[in-house]
Amino acid sequence: MAQPTNIVPPNNLWGSPPVNLSQDNLLKNHRIVYYCRIFVSTLAGCAAGILGFQGWAGLFVYLLITALTALFLLFKIKFKVQDFFQAPSTLVMEGVFQGLFTYVMFWALGFNLVHTFA
């Protein structure tokens, strides 16, 4: 069992005393955010492909879904990012590019199945 470590952000960004965060819990939180982003990217890619979004409209859908996912995760943790992650940017940046690749793959698949091969 890993010992909790005393994590202090640089320059104490949150203006509060350091919090003891378990490394196991931090890794679990990162995995949850990553899997959530991949799952949402899969669903959004399929939906965007089936609805026939092309070009910049499809990219805008991904950016919108990414922002909504981060917002919903913030609501889930009641805006207490410092209690669950080392840096606030984790919710926004964790798995974004992997999610983009998944989104594009399912976007193309959905689009081709419905609009090209029909």
Side-chain angles (χ1 to χ4, degrees):
M1 182 80 76
Q3 295 292 329
T5 58
N6 194 12
I7 298 172
V8 180
N11 299 327
N12 201 4
L13 295 175
W14 298 300
S16 60
V19 179
N20 288 330
L21 297 173
S22 168
Q23 293 299 320
D24 293 336
N25 291 341
L26 283 174
L27 289 174
K28 181 180 178 187
N29 293 342
H30 281 274
R31 271 192 307 246
I32 289 171
V33 170
Y34 175 77
Y35 292 143
C36 181
R37 190 164 314 273
I38 295 298
F39 180 72
V40 169
S41 295
T42 302
L43 294 179
C46 287
I50 291 170
L51 294 174
F53 288 110
Q54 295 179 5
W56 292 107
L59 183 63
F60 178 73
V61 169
Y62 178 71
L63 295 175
L64 180 69
I65 291 299
T66 301
L68 286 175
T69 302
L71 186 66
F72 287 142
L73 288 171
L74 274 172
F75 280 128
K76 178 71 177 165
I77 63 172
K78 298 180 175 101
F79 295 95
K80 296 181 181 178
V81 178
Q82 67 273 14
D83 292 345
F84 297 93
F85 302 101
Q86 289 179 348
S89 64
T90 302
L91 280 177
V92 178
M93 297 306 296
E94 182 75 26
V96 169
F97 292 111
Q98 292 88 349
L100 178 63
F101 296 140
T102 303
Y103 174 81
V104 169
M105 182 177 65
F106 281 95
W107 178 24
L109 178 68
F111 186 86
N112 287 330
L113 287 175
V114 173
H115 300 285
T116 305
F117 299 126

